[in-house]
Amino acid sequence: MSKWIFRLGRFCQACFMIGLKAYLVSLTAYLVLRVAIGDGVWWLGFLNNLAPCLFLPVVVLLPFALLAHNRVWAARLLPFALLAGLWFGPYFIPRSTASAAGDTLRVATFNVWGDNPRMADVAAWILSTDADVVVMQELHPDFPRNDWLAEVYPYRFWQTTEQDWWANYTLSRFPILEATNLDWDGAEAPTQQRLVLDVNGQPIALYNLHLLMPLGETAHLSLPLDNPFLNMALKYDDRARNAQIRRLLVRLADEPYPYLVAGDFNMSDQTMIYGELAAVMRDSFREAGSGFGWSWPAGTADDFSTPVPLLFRLDYIWHSDGFRSLTAQQGPMLGSDHLPLLATLELVGS
């Protein structure tokens, strides 16, 4: 009996070593392809969204290799652990809370989900944040008819579209000087909002955005499995969303006022297109927040029959050089498949 147990143990060890070698070879190949191709291939683009998760086996296996005094495998795993630390470690460095010298704005963004059953809790959370400006996406058309927030937010801009599910809604304590719906892609894409607010005499531009999901009409591969995440992965196509982002950057190049750009970007901060946005404006969470900031999928929605872990950061508050971020943090789960985001920003030179 002990002989068979010994053989089984050796077999399991051999399988483990083969799997470990395959993992490290695959991770090396992924990193090389990420540098060489970026998001140029659909499956690589999808994997880029999950970059932090790809290093999780390293985090788990390196301590075991060290405890087992396996110097060979510890040496092989250590470079990947160091890379993960250099790449993702700065996300967790505490940011010092800066004091404001000028006017400040508290801005909240939240994709509330059209069928959210907890809209009363959403309204209560908004009031508890003391936010000056609130931008929402996927708002049900019945919500703006409620006047519970009118006393705190006298200035409001409701987007009307044929597809009310995708409607955006902006609440403001500051007067709205201009309000425009921006249709970048014709009838097939959600309309976005641009507003100009009067913040103590300083006009600022505010964009409330809900960009397209990076999904194509058909799957790249056909598999006999009915899993929502697998189906989304096999339909991954970021071209239309990236086109929206690049049109946004063209528009912002001509924006005459200091600006804020907030909303659901349907874009992970690990994608290549994130770098194009970060080259033009600042990410308030990366500037003043801490952690990965994953905001989706938060709980259950129509597409998910069971709770799933947070995997992607899709919700952002960007700002021009006319602002600086003082604080940034996520809000609680409030019945949506997204988490809200709240940031405090200072108008530079105000």
Side-chain angles (χ1 to χ4, degrees):
M1 184 69 176
S2 60
K3 181 179 179 180
W4 285 105
I5 294 176
F6 176 76
R7 288 181 176 178
L8 179 61
R10 293 294 297 271
F11 175 76
C12 291
Q13 184 181 27
C15 290
F16 173 78
M17 298 306 290
I18 291 172
L20 183 55
K21 289 178 182 179
Y23 164 68
L24 291 182
V25 169
S26 299
L27 184 57
T28 301
Y30 161 73
L31 293 170
V32 171
L33 289 172
R34 178 183 172 96
V35 173
I37 302 176
D39 291 334
V41 182
W42 72 268
W43 54 267
L44 184 59
F46 179 78
L47 284 178
N48 285 339
N49 290 279
L50 297 167
C53 301
L54 301 182
F55 286 87
L56 285 177
V58 174
V59 177
V60 174
L61 293 171
L62 181 58
F64 280 105
L66 293 172
L67 289 172
H69 302 288
N70 191 327
R71 295 180 180 179
V72 173
W73 281 105
R76 292 179 180 179
L77 289 164
L78 186 59
F80 295 97
L82 292 175
L83 176 60
L86 292 172
W87 188 346
F88 307 117
Y91 297 173
F92 294 87
I93 296 175
R95 271 70 170 178
S96 60
T97 304
S99 58
D103 291 330
T104 61
L105 284 84
R106 284 177 65 80
V107 181
T109 180
F110 190 20
N111 181 326
V112 299
W113 186 45
D115 278 347
N116 192 326
R118 297 179 55 192
M119 290 308 297
D121 293 336
V122 171
W125 177 79
I126 290 172
L127 292 174
S128 73
T129 65
D130 195 32
D132 299 301
V133 177
V134 181
V135 300
M136 291 180 278
Q137 306 85 38
E138 285 194 29
L139 199 68
H140 193 282
D142 289 342
F143 184 75
R145 300 188 185 117
N146 298 318
D147 290 330
W148 10 349
L149 299 174
E151 184 175 344
V152 177
Y153 300 102
Y155 307 101
R156 296 179 280 179
F157 183 44
W158 165 250
Q159 167 200 346
T160 56
T161 66
E162 293 182 4
Q163 193 178 15
D164 282 329
W165 174 276
W166 299 107
N168 291 1
Y169 190 37
T170 300
L171 306 172
S172 174
R173 284 175 166 164
F174 299 104
I176 298 175
L177 304 178
E178 301 176 29
T180 310
N181 286 326
L182 307 174
D183 192 348
W184 296 334
D185 301 277
E188 296 182 359
T191 301
Q192 318 301 331
Q193 295 178 325
R194 176 187 178 271
L195 301 89
V196 177
L197 307 181
D198 181 354
V199 179
N200 300 328
Q202 168 66 59
I204 69 160
L206 171 69
Y207 291 79
N208 181 357
L209 303 184
H210 186 189
L211 302 186
L212 292 168
M213 292 185 69
L215 298 176
E217 293 293 329
T218 58
H220 299 279
L221 300 172
S222 179
L223 296 177
L225 295 172
D226 186 19
N227 179 279
F229 278 109
L230 182 59
N231 291 336
M232 292 175 67
L234 294 177
K235 289 184 177 180
Y236 188 81
D237 186 342
D238 59 9
R239 290 174 295 180
R241 183 209 61 201
N242 289 353
Q244 283 188 319
I245 290 173
R246 290 181 177 121
R247 282 193 288 272
L248 168 67
L249 294 176
V250 170
R251 182 181 293 275
L252 292 176
D254 295 327
E255 178 58 61
Y257 305 120
Y259 59 79
L260 302 170
V261 184
D264 175 5
F265 276 67
N266 273 309
M267 173 205 69
S268 163
D269 60 345
Q270 302 303 319
T271 59
M272 299 297 108
I273 194 85
Y274 174 90
E276 296 184 32
L277 284 161
V280 173
M281 49 188 173
R282 299 175 184 268
D283 177 352
S284 63
F285 185 83
R286 193 58 68 225
E287 190 175 33
S290 180
F292 286 117
W294 290 337
S295 62
W296 185 91
T300 59
D302 280 349
D303 292 335
F304 312 116
S305 57
T306 57
V308 290
L310 295 164
L311 291 171
F312 307 98
R313 185 155 78 98
L314 303 184
D315 303 272
Y316 299 83
I317 299 173
W318 297 88
H319 64 84
S320 67
D321 289 337
F323 295 89
R324 69 182 179 113
S325 300
L326 304 178
T327 64
Q329 63 272 341
Q330 293 174 289
M333 291 188 181
L334 290 168
S336 171
D337 55 336
H338 289 249
L339 293 182
L341 178 63
L342 177 69
T344 304
L345 305 106
E346 179 190 7
L347 261 167
V348 178
S350 63

